[in-house]
Coordinates of all heavy atoms in Angstrom, one line a residue:
M1 N -4.1 -4.3 -80.0 CA -4.0 -3.1 -79.3 C -2.7 -3.0 -78.5 O -2.2 -1.9 -78.4 CB -5.2 -2.9 -78.3 CG -6.6 -2.7 -79.0 SD -6.7 -1.2 -79.9 CE -6.4 0.0 -78.7
N2 N -2.3 -4.1 -78.0 CA -1.1 -4.0 -77.1 C 0.2 -4.1 -77.9 O 1.3 -4.1 -77.3 CB -1.1 -5.1 -76.0 CG -1.1 -6.5 -76.5 OD1 -0.8 -6.7 -77.7 ND2 -1.3 -7.4 -75.6
G3 N 0.2 -4.3 -79.3 CA 1.3 -4.2 -80.1 C 2.1 -5.5 -80.2 O 3.2 -5.5 -80.9
N4 N 1.7 -6.6 -79.7 CA 2.5 -7.9 -79.8 C 2.1 -8.7 -81.0 O 2.6 -9.8 -81.1 CB 2.4 -8.7 -78.5 CG 1.0 -9.3 -78.3 OD1 0.0 -9.1 -79.0 ND2 0.9 -10.1 -77.2
R5 N 1.2 -8.2 -81.8 CA 0.8 -8.9 -83.1 C 0.1 -10.2 -82.9 O 0.3 -11.1 -83.8 CB 2.0 -9.0 -84.1 CG 2.5 -7.6 -84.4 CD 3.7 -7.7 -85.3 NE 4.3 -6.4 -85.5 CZ 4.5 -5.9 -86.6 NH1 4.2 -6.4 -87.7 NH2 5.1 -4.7 -86.7
Q6 N -0.5 -10.4 -81.8 CA -1.3 -11.6 -81.6 C -2.6 -11.3 -80.8 O -2.6 -10.3 -80.1 CB -0.5 -12.7 -80.9 CG -0.1 -12.4 -79.5 CD 0.8 -13.5 -78.9 OE1 1.3 -14.4 -79.6 NE2 1.0 -13.5 -77.6
W7 N -3.6 -12.1 -80.9 CA -4.8 -11.9 -80.2 C -4.7 -12.4 -78.7 O -4.4 -13.6 -78.5 CB -6.0 -12.6 -80.9 CG -7.3 -12.5 -80.1 CD1 -7.9 -13.6 -79.4 CD2 -8.1 -11.4 -79.9 NE1 -9.0 -13.1 -78.8 CE2 -9.2 -11.8 -79.1 CE3 -8.0 -10.0 -80.3 CZ2 -10.2 -10.9 -78.7 CZ3 -9.0 -9.2 -79.9 CH2 -10.1 -9.6 -79.1
D8 N -4.8 -11.5 -77.8 CA -4.7 -11.8 -76.4 C -6.0 -11.7 -75.6 O -6.1 -11.9 -74.4 CB -3.7 -10.9 -75.7 CG -2.3 -11.1 -76.2 OD1 -1.9 -12.2 -76.3 OD2 -1.6 -10.1 -76.5
G9 N -7.1 -11.4 -76.4 CA -8.4 -11.3 -75.8 C -8.5 -9.9 -75.2 O -7.6 -9.1 -75.0
E10 N -9.8 -9.6 -74.8 CA -10.0 -8.3 -74.1 C -9.7 -8.4 -72.7 O -9.8 -9.5 -72.1 CB -11.5 -7.9 -74.3 CG -11.8 -7.6 -75.8 CD -13.1 -6.9 -76.0 OE1 -13.1 -5.7 -75.9 OE2 -14.1 -7.6 -76.3
P11 N -9.2 -7.4 -72.0 CA -9.1 -6.0 -72.4 C -7.8 -5.7 -73.1 O -7.6 -4.6 -73.5 CB -9.2 -5.2 -71.1 CG -8.6 -6.1 -70.1 CD -9.0 -7.5 -70.6
A12 N -6.8 -6.6 -73.2 CA -5.5 -6.4 -73.8 C -5.7 -6.0 -75.3 O -5.0 -5.1 -75.8 CB -4.6 -7.5 -73.7
D13 N -6.6 -6.6 -76.0 CA -7.0 -6.3 -77.3 C -8.5 -5.9 -77.4 O -9.1 -6.0 -76.4 CB -6.6 -7.5 -78.3 CG -5.1 -7.7 -78.3 OD1 -4.4 -6.8 -78.3 OD2 -4.8 -8.9 -78.3
K14 N -8.9 -5.5 -78.5 CA -10.3 -5.0 -78.6 C -11.0 -5.5 -79.8 O -10.5 -5.5 -80.9 CB -10.2 -3.4 -78.7 CG -11.5 -2.7 -78.7 CD -12.2 -2.7 -77.4 CE -13.5 -1.8 -77.4 NZ -14.3 -2.0 -76.3
I15 N -12.3 -5.9 -79.7 CA -13.2 -6.2 -80.8 C -14.0 -4.9 -81.0 O -14.6 -4.3 -80.1 CB -14.1 -7.3 -80.4 CG1 -13.3 -8.6 -80.2 CG2 -15.2 -7.5 -81.5 CD1 -14.2 -9.8 -79.7
A16 N -14.0 -4.5 -82.3 CA -14.7 -3.2 -82.6 C -15.9 -3.5 -83.5 O -15.8 -4.4 -84.4 CB -13.8 -2.2 -83.3
Y17 N -17.0 -2.7 -83.4 CA -18.2 -2.9 -84.2 C -18.5 -1.6 -84.8 O -19.7 -1.2 -85.0 CB -19.3 -3.4 -83.3 CG -19.1 -4.7 -82.8 CD1 -18.7 -4.9 -81.5 CD2 -19.3 -5.9 -83.5 CE1 -18.5 -6.1 -80.9 CE2 -19.1 -7.2 -83.0 CZ -18.6 -7.3 -81.7 OH -18.4 -8.5 -81.2
F18 N -17.6 -0.8 -85.2 CA -17.8 0.6 -85.8 C -18.3 0.4 -87.2 O -17.7 -0.3 -88.0 CB -16.5 1.3 -85.8 CG -16.6 2.8 -86.1 CD1 -17.0 3.7 -85.1 CD2 -16.4 3.3 -87.4 CE1 -17.1 5.0 -85.4 CE2 -16.6 4.6 -87.7 CZ -16.9 5.5 -86.7
G19 N -19.4 1.1 -87.5 CA -20.0 1.1 -88.8 C -20.9 0.0 -89.1 O -21.3 -0.3 -90.3
M20 N -21.4 -0.7 -88.1 CA -22.4 -1.8 -88.3 C -23.7 -1.3 -89.0 O -24.1 -0.2 -88.6 CB -22.7 -2.5 -87.0 CG -21.6 -3.4 -86.5 SD -22.0 -4.4 -85.1 CE -23.2 -5.5 -85.9
G21 N -24.2 -2.0 -89.9 CA -25.4 -1.6 -90.6 C -25.2 -0.9 -91.9 O -26.1 -0.7 -92.6
L22 N -23.9 -0.5 -92.1 CA -23.6 0.1 -93.4 C -23.2 -1.0 -94.4 O -22.0 -1.4 -94.3 CB -22.5 1.2 -93.2 CG -22.8 2.4 -92.5 CD1 -21.6 3.3 -92.3 CD2 -23.9 3.2 -93.2
T23 N -24.1 -1.4 -95.2 CA -23.7 -2.4 -96.2 C -22.8 -1.8 -97.3 O -22.9 -0.7 -97.6 CB -25.0 -3.1 -96.8 OG1 -25.7 -2.0 -97.5 CG2 -25.8 -3.8 -95.8
D24 N -21.9 -2.7 -97.8 CA -21.0 -2.3 -98.8 C -20.0 -1.1 -98.4 O -19.6 -0.4 -99.3 CB -21.7 -1.9 -100.1 CG -22.5 -3.1 -100.6 OD1 -22.0 -4.3 -100.5 OD2 -23.6 -2.9 -101.2
A25 N -19.8 -0.9 -97.1 CA -18.9 0.1 -96.7 C -17.5 -0.4 -96.6 O -17.2 -1.6 -96.5 CB -19.3 0.6 -95.3
F26 N -16.5 0.4 -96.8 CA -15.1 0.1 -96.8 C -14.5 0.4 -95.4 O -14.7 1.6 -95.0 CB -14.3 0.9 -97.8 CG -14.6 0.5 -99.3 CD1 -15.6 1.1 -100.0 CD2 -13.8 -0.5 -99.9 CE1 -15.8 0.8 -101.3 CE2 -14.0 -0.9 -101.2 CZ -15.0 -0.2 -101.9
P27 N -13.7 -0.4 -94.8 CA -13.0 0.0 -93.6 C -11.9 0.9 -94.0 O -11.2 0.7 -95.0 CB -12.5 -1.4 -93.0 CG -12.4 -2.3 -94.2 CD -13.5 -1.8 -95.2
V28 N -11.6 1.9 -93.2 CA -10.5 2.8 -93.4 C -9.9 3.1 -92.0 O -10.5 3.1 -91.0 CB -10.9 4.2 -94.0 CG1 -11.3 3.9 -95.5 CG2 -12.0 4.8 -93.3
A29 N -8.5 3.3 -92.0 CA -7.8 3.6 -90.8 C -6.8 4.7 -91.0 O -6.2 4.8 -92.1 CB -7.1 2.4 -90.2
A30 N -6.7 5.7 -90.1 CA -5.8 6.8 -90.2 C -5.7 7.4 -88.8 O -6.5 7.1 -87.9 CB -6.1 7.7 -91.3
D31 N -4.9 8.4 -88.6 CA -4.8 9.2 -87.4 C -5.8 10.4 -87.6 O -5.4 11.5 -88.0 CB -3.4 9.7 -87.2 CG -3.2 10.5 -85.9 OD1 -4.2 10.6 -85.1 OD2 -2.1 10.9 -85.6
W32 N -7.1 10.1 -87.4 CA -8.1 11.1 -87.6 C -8.0 12.4 -86.7 O -8.5 13.5 -87.1 CB -9.5 10.5 -87.5 CG -9.8 9.3 -88.3 CD1 -10.2 8.1 -87.7 CD2 -9.7 9.1 -89.7 NE1 -10.3 7.2 -88.8 CE2 -10.0 7.8 -90.0 CE3 -9.4 10.0 -90.7 CZ2 -10.1 7.3 -91.2 CZ3 -9.4 9.4 -92.0 CH2 -9.7 8.1 -92.3
N33 N -7.5 12.2 -85.5 CA -7.5 13.4 -84.6 C -6.0 13.9 -84.3 O -5.8 14.7 -83.4 CB -8.1 13.0 -83.3 CG -7.5 11.8 -82.6 OD1 -6.4 11.4 -83.0 ND2 -8.1 11.3 -81.6
N34 N -5.1 13.4 -85.1 CA -3.7 13.9 -85.0 C -3.0 13.7 -83.7 O -2.3 14.6 -83.2 CB -3.6 15.4 -85.5 CG -2.3 15.8 -86.0 OD1 -1.5 15.0 -86.5 ND2 -1.9 17.1 -85.8
D35 N -3.3 12.6 -83.0 CA -2.7 12.3 -81.7 C -1.6 11.3 -81.8 O -1.0 10.9 -80.8 CB -3.8 11.8 -80.7 CG -4.4 10.5 -81.1 OD1 -4.0 9.9 -82.1 OD2 -5.1 9.9 -80.3
G36 N -1.2 10.9 -83.0 CA -0.1 9.9 -83.2 C -0.6 8.5 -83.2 O 0.2 7.6 -83.4
A37 N -1.9 8.2 -82.9 CA -2.4 6.8 -82.9 C -3.4 6.7 -84.1 O -4.1 7.6 -84.4 CB -3.1 6.5 -81.6
T38 N -3.5 5.5 -84.6 CA -4.4 5.2 -85.7 C -5.8 4.9 -85.1 O -5.9 4.1 -84.2 CB -3.9 4.0 -86.5 OG1 -2.6 4.3 -87.0 CG2 -4.8 3.7 -87.6
E39 N -6.8 5.5 -85.7 CA -8.2 5.3 -85.4 C -8.9 4.6 -86.5 O -8.4 4.6 -87.7 CB -8.9 6.6 -85.0 CG -8.5 7.2 -83.7 CD -7.3 8.1 -83.9 OE1 -7.1 8.8 -85.0 OE2 -6.5 8.2 -83.0
I40 N -10.1 4.0 -86.3 CA -10.8 3.3 -87.3 C -11.9 4.2 -87.9 O -12.2 5.3 -87.4 CB -11.5 2.1 -86.8 CG1 -12.5 2.4 -85.6 CG2 -10.5 1.0 -86.3 CD1 -13.3 1.2 -85.1
G41 N -12.4 3.8 -89.1 CA -13.4 4.5 -89.7 C -14.0 3.7 -90.8 O -13.6 2.6 -91.1
V42 N -15.1 4.2 -91.4 CA -15.7 3.5 -92.6 C -16.0 4.5 -93.6 O -16.2 5.7 -93.3 CB -17.0 2.7 -92.2 CG1 -16.6 1.5 -91.3 CG2 -18.0 3.6 -91.6
Y43 N -16.1 4.1 -94.9 CA -16.4 4.9 -96.0 C -17.5 4.3 -96.8 O -17.4 3.1 -97.1 CB -15.1 5.1 -96.9 CG -15.3 5.8 -98.2 CD1 -15.3 7.2 -98.2 CD2 -15.6 5.1 -99.4 CE1 -15.5 7.9 -99.4 CE2 -15.8 5.8 -100.6 CZ -15.8 7.2 -100.6 OH -16.0 7.8 -101.8
K44 N -18.5 5.0 -97.2 CA -19.6 4.5 -98.0 C -20.1 5.7 -98.9 O -20.5 6.7 -98.3 CB -20.7 3.9 -97.2 CG -21.8 3.4 -98.0 CD -22.9 2.8 -97.1 CE -24.1 2.5 -98.0 NZ -24.1 1.3 -98.7
D45 N -20.2 5.4 -100.2 CA -20.8 6.4 -101.1 C -20.4 7.8 -100.9 O -21.2 8.7 -100.9 CB -22.3 6.3 -101.0 CG -22.9 4.9 -101.3 OD1 -22.2 4.2 -102.2 OD2 -23.9 4.5 -100.8
G46 N -19.1 8.0 -100.7 CA -18.6 9.4 -100.6 C -18.6 10.0 -99.2 O -18.1 11.1 -99.0
T47 N -19.1 9.3 -98.2 CA -19.1 9.8 -96.8 C -18.1 9.0 -96.0 O -18.1 7.7 -96.0 CB -20.5 9.7 -96.2 OG1 -21.4 10.4 -97.0 CG2 -20.6 10.2 -94.8
W48 N -17.3 9.7 -95.3 CA -16.3 9.1 -94.4 C -16.9 9.3 -93.0 O -17.3 10.3 -92.6 CB -15.0 9.9 -94.5 CG -14.3 9.8 -95.8 CD1 -14.7 10.4 -96.9 CD2 -13.2 9.0 -96.1 NE1 -13.8 10.1 -97.9 CE2 -12.9 9.3 -97.4 CE3 -12.3 8.2 -95.3 CZ2 -11.8 8.7 -98.1 CZ3 -11.3 7.6 -95.9 CH2 -11.0 7.8 -97.3
Y49 N -16.8 8.2 -92.2 CA -17.2 8.2 -90.8 C -16.0 7.9 -90.0 O -15.4 6.8 -90.1 CB -18.3 7.2 -90.5 CG -19.6 7.4 -91.3 CD1 -19.8 6.8 -92.5 CD2 -20.6 8.3 -90.8 CE1 -20.9 7.1 -93.3 CE2 -21.7 8.5 -91.6 CZ -21.9 7.9 -92.8 OH -23.0 8.2 -93.5
M50 N -15.5 8.8 -89.1 CA -14.2 8.6 -88.4 C -14.4 8.6 -86.9 O -15.0 9.5 -86.3 CB -13.3 9.7 -88.8 CG -13.1 9.8 -90.4 SD -12.5 11.4 -91.0 CE -14.0 12.3 -91.0
D51 N -13.8 7.6 -86.3 CA -13.9 7.4 -84.8 C -12.8 8.2 -84.2 O -11.8 7.7 -83.7 CB -13.8 5.9 -84.5 CG -13.8 5.7 -83.0 OD1 -14.4 6.5 -82.3 OD2 -13.3 4.7 -82.5
K52 N -13.0 9.5 -84.1 CA -11.9 10.4 -83.6 C -11.7 10.2 -82.1 O -10.6 10.5 -81.6 CB -12.3 11.9 -83.9 CG -12.1 12.2 -85.3 CD -12.5 13.6 -85.7 CE -12.1 14.7 -84.8 NZ -12.5 16.0 -85.1
S53 N -12.7 9.8 -81.3 CA -12.6 9.6 -79.9 C -11.9 8.3 -79.5 O -11.5 8.0 -78.4 CB -13.9 9.6 -79.2 OG -14.7 8.5 -79.7
R54 N -11.7 7.4 -80.6 CA -11.0 6.1 -80.4 C -11.6 5.2 -79.4 O -10.9 4.5 -78.6 CB -9.5 6.4 -80.1 CG -8.6 5.2 -80.4 CD -7.1 5.6 -80.3 NE -6.3 4.5 -80.8 CZ -5.3 4.0 -80.2 NH1 -5.0 4.4 -79.0 NH2 -4.7 3.0 -80.7
N55 N -12.9 5.2 -79.3 CA -13.6 4.2 -78.4 C -14.4 3.2 -79.2 O -15.2 2.5 -78.6 CB -14.5 5.0 -77.5 CG -15.7 5.6 -78.1 OD1 -15.8 5.6 -79.4 ND2 -16.6 6.1 -77.3
W56 N -14.2 3.1 -80.5 CA -14.8 2.1 -81.4 C -16.3 2.1 -81.5 O -16.9 1.1 -81.7 CB -14.3 0.7 -81.0 CG -12.8 0.6 -81.0 CD1 -12.0 0.4 -82.1 CD2 -11.9 0.8 -79.9 NE1 -10.7 0.5 -81.8 CE2 -10.6 0.7 -80.4 CE3 -12.1 1.0 -78.6 CZ2 -9.5 0.8 -79.6 CZ3 -10.9 1.1 -77.8 CH2 -9.7 1.0 -78.3
Q57 N -16.9 3.3 -81.3 CA -18.3 3.4 -81.5 C -18.6 4.8 -82.1 O -17.9 5.7 -81.7 CB -19.1 3.1 -80.3 CG -18.7 3.8 -79.0 CD -19.4 3.2 -77.8 OE1 -20.6 3.2 -77.8 NE2 -18.6 2.9 -76.8
W58 N -19.7 4.9 -82.9 CA -20.1 6.2 -83.4 C -20.9 6.9 -82.4 O -21.9 6.5 -81.9 CB -20.9 5.9 -84.7 CG -21.5 7.2 -85.3 CD1 -22.7 7.6 -85.2 CD2 -20.7 8.2 -86.0 NE1 -22.9 8.8 -85.9 CE2 -21.6 9.2 -86.4 CE3 -19.4 8.3 -86.4 CZ2 -21.2 10.3 -87.1 CZ3 -19.0 9.4 -87.1 CH2 -19.9 10.4 -87.4
E59 N -20.4 8.1 -82.1 CA -21.0 9.0 -81.1 C -21.6 10.2 -81.7 O -22.1 11.1 -81.0 CB -20.0 9.4 -80.0 CG -19.5 8.2 -79.2 CD -18.4 8.5 -78.3 OE1 -17.3 8.8 -78.8 OE2 -18.6 8.4 -77.1
G60 N -21.5 10.4 -83.0 CA -22.1 11.5 -83.7 C -21.1 12.7 -83.8 O -19.9 12.6 -83.3
E61 N -21.5 13.7 -84.5 CA -20.6 14.9 -84.8 C -20.2 15.5 -83.4 O -20.8 15.4 -82.4 CB -21.4 15.9 -85.6 CG -21.7 15.4 -87.0 CD -20.4 15.1 -87.8 OE1 -19.4 15.8 -87.6 OE2 -20.5 14.3 -88.7
F62 N -19.1 16.2 -83.5 CA -18.4 16.9 -82.4 C -17.5 15.9 -81.6 O -16.5 16.3 -81.2 CB -19.3 17.7 -81.5 CG -20.1 18.7 -82.3 CD1 -21.5 18.6 -82.4 CD2 -19.5 19.8 -82.9 CE1 -22.2 19.5 -83.2 CE2 -20.3 20.7 -83.6 CZ -21.6 20.6 -83.8
T63 N -18.0 14.7 -81.4 CA -17.1 13.7 -80.8 C -16.4 13.0 -81.8 O -15.1 12.8 -81.8 CB -17.9 12.7 -79.9 OG1 -18.6 13.5 -78.9 CG2 -17.0 11.7 -79.2
D64 N -17.1 12.4 -82.8 CA -16.5 11.7 -84.0 C -16.8 12.7 -85.1 O -17.4 13.7 -85.0 CB -17.2 10.4 -84.2 CG -16.8 9.4 -83.0 OD1 -15.7 9.5 -82.5 OD2 -17.7 8.6 -82.6
S65 N -16.5 12.3 -86.3 CA -16.6 13.2 -87.5 C -17.1 12.4 -88.7 O -16.8 11.2 -88.9 CB -15.4 13.9 -87.9 OG -15.0 14.8 -87.0
S66 N -17.9 13.1 -89.5 CA -18.2 12.5 -90.8 C -18.0 13.7 -91.8 O -18.1 14.8 -91.5 CB -19.6 12.0 -90.9 OG -20.5 13.1 -90.8
C67 N -17.6 13.3 -93.0 CA -17.5 14.3 -94.1 C -17.8 13.7 -95.4 O -17.7 12.4 -95.6 CB -16.1 15.0 -94.0 SG -14.8 13.9 -94.5
V68 N -18.1 14.5 -96.4 CA -18.3 14.0 -97.8 C -17.2 14.4 -98.6 O -16.8 15.5 -98.7 CB -19.6 14.5 -98.3 CG1 -19.8 14.1 -99.8 CG2 -20.8 14.1 -97.5
F69 N -16.6 13.4 -99.3 CA -15.5 13.6 -100.2 C -15.5 12.5 -101.2 O -15.4 11.3 -100.8 CB -14.1 13.6 -99.5 CG -13.0 14.0 -100.4 CD1 -12.7 15.3 -100.7 CD2 -12.2 13.0 -101.0 CE1 -11.7 15.6 -101.6 CE2 -11.1 13.3 -101.8 CZ -10.9 14.6 -102.1
G70 N -15.6 12.8 -102.5 CA -15.6 11.8 -103.5 C -16.9 11.2 -103.9 O -17.0 10.2 -104.5
A71 N -18.0 11.8 -103.4 CA -19.3 11.3 -103.7 C -19.6 11.3 -105.2 O -19.3 12.3 -105.9 CB -20.4 12.1 -103.0
G72 N -20.2 10.2 -105.7 CA -20.6 10.2 -107.1 C -19.6 9.7 -108.0 O -19.8 9.7 -109.2
L73 N -18.4 9.3 -107.5 CA -17.4 8.8 -108.4 C -17.6 7.3 -108.6 O -17.6 6.6 -107.7 CB -16.0 9.1 -107.8 CG -15.6 10.5 -107.6 CD1 -14.3 10.7 -106.8 CD2 -15.5 11.3 -108.9
A74 N -17.7 6.9 -109.9 CA -18.0 5.5 -110.2 C -16.8 4.7 -109.7 O -15.6 5.0 -110.0 CB -18.2 5.3 -111.7
G75 N -17.0 3.6 -109.0 CA -16.0 2.6 -108.6 C -15.0 3.2 -107.6 O -13.9 2.7 -107.5
E76 N -15.4 4.2 -106.8 CA -14.5 4.8 -105.9 C -14.0 3.8 -104.9 O -14.7 2.9 -104.5 CB -15.1 6.0 -105.2 CG -16.1 5.6 -104.1 CD -17.5 5.7 -104.5 OE1 -17.8 6.0 -105.7 OE2 -18.3 5.5 -103.6
V77 N -12.7 4.0 -104.5 CA -12.0 3.2 -103.5 C -11.4 4.1 -102.5 O -10.6 4.9 -102.9 CB -11.0 2.2 -104.1 CG1 -10.3 1.4 -103.0 CG2 -11.7 1.2 -105.0
P78 N -11.7 4.1 -101.2 CA -11.2 5.1 -100.3 C -9.7 4.8 -100.0 O -9.3 3.6 -99.9 CB -12.0 4.9 -99.0 CG -12.5 3.5 -99.1 CD -12.7 3.2 -100.6
V79 N -8.9 5.8 -99.9 CA -7.5 5.7 -99.5 C -7.3 6.8 -98.4 O -7.4 7.9 -98.7 CB -6.6 5.9 -100.7 CG1 -5.1 5.8 -100.2 CG2 -6.9 4.9 -101.8
A80 N -6.9 6.3 -97.2 CA -6.6 7.2 -96.1 C -5.1 7.4 -96.0 O -4.3 6.6 -96.3 CB -7.1 6.7 -94.8
G81 N -4.7 8.6 -95.6 CA -3.3 8.9 -95.4 C -3.1 10.2 -94.8 O -4.0 11.0 -94.5
R82 N -1.9 10.6 -94.5 CA -1.5 11.9 -93.9 C -1.0 12.8 -95.0 O 0.2 13.0 -95.2 CB -0.5 11.7 -92.8 CG -0.3 12.9 -92.0 CD 0.5 12.7 -90.8 NE 0.6 13.9 -90.1 CZ 1.2 14.0 -88.9 NH1 1.6 13.0 -88.3 NH2 1.2 15.2 -88.3
W83 N -2.0 13.3 -95.8 CA -1.6 14.0 -97.0 C -1.0 15.4 -96.7 O -0.3 15.9 -97.5 CB -2.9 14.2 -97.8 CG -3.6 13.0 -98.0 CD1 -4.9 12.7 -97.6 CD2 -3.2 11.8 -98.7 NE1 -5.3 11.4 -97.9 CE2 -4.2 10.8 -98.6 CE3 -2.0 11.4 -99.3 CZ2 -4.1 9.5 -99.1 CZ3 -1.9 10.1 -99.8 CH2 -3.0 9.2 -99.8
W84 N -1.1 15.9 -95.5 CA -0.6 17.2 -95.2 C 0.8 17.1 -94.6 O 1.4 18.1 -94.3 CB -1.5 18.0 -94.3 CG -1.7 17.3 -92.9 CD1 -0.9 17.4 -91.8 CD2 -2.6 16.3 -92.6 NE1 -1.3 16.6 -90.8 CE2 -2.4 15.9 -91.3 CE3 -3.7 15.6 -93.3 CZ2 -3.1 14.9 -90.7 CZ3 -4.4 14.6 -92.7 CH2 -4.1 14.3 -91.4
A85 N 1.3 16.0 -94.3 CA 2.6 15.8 -93.7 C 3.7 16.5 -94.5 O 3.8 16.4 -95.7 CB 3.0 14.3 -93.6
G86 N 4.6 17.2 -93.8 CA 5.7 17.9 -94.4 C 5.3 19.3 -95.0 O 6.2 20.0 -95.4
R87 N 4.1 19.7 -94.9 CA 3.7 21.0 -95.3 C 3.5 21.9 -94.2 O 3.0 21.5 -93.1 CB 2.4 20.9 -96.1 CG 2.5 20.2 -97.4 CD 1.2 20.3 -98.2 NE 1.2 19.4 -99.3 CZ 0.2 19.3 -100.1 NH1 -0.9 20.1 -99.9 NH2 0.2 18.5 -101.1
N88 N 3.7 23.2 -94.4 CA 3.4 24.2 -93.3 C 2.2 25.0 -93.7 O 1.9 25.2 -94.8 CB 4.6 25.1 -93.1 CG 5.7 24.3 -92.5 OD1 5.5 23.3 -91.9 ND2 6.9 24.8 -92.7

């Protein structure tokens, strides 16, 4: 969290438990809320769960977000990115 690329323990760094209980889920990271910082998320069976509040816990819709994209695609692998960058 503090950017020095080493574990300094909490509170300088953070242990996250986002997405616990979702077996076979993929971790994903991106700037979900467009604030310039990367947030965590998980992807499972076409559903994305995104920690938009950046507090490392699922708080449900309106605070965090979930959406369905890619459901039912055999062998799907999630890829997060800023796909809208450079477009108006």
Side-chain angles (χ1 to χ4, degrees):
M1 293 295 301
N2 64 11
N4 70 355
R5 299 177 189 236
Q6 65 184 15
W7 174 251
D8 294 316
E10 292 195 82
D13 295 319
K14 181 76 174 167
I15 297 173
Y17 297 99
F18 191 83
M20 287 188 65
L22 291 175
T23 58
D24 300 324
F26 289 91
V28 290
D31 184 1
W32 307 122
N33 59 11
N34 204 28
D35 67 355
T38 302
E39 290 87 33
I40 61 174
V42 292
Y43 173 86
K44 178 178 170 83
D45 298 330
T47 302
W48 296 74
Y49 301 91
M50 299 159 283
D51 182 24
K52 288 175 45 180
S53 64
R54 202 168 187 233
N55 69 351
W56 302 280
Q57 49 189 311
W58 176 253
E59 297 172 292
E61 295 294 333
F62 303 112
T63 301
D64 295 322
S65 289
S66 67
C67 68
V68 175
F69 184 82
L73 299 173
E76 75 261 2
V77 176
V79 179
R82 190 169 181 172
W83 311 116
W84 63 91
R87 295 187 190 181
N88 292 337

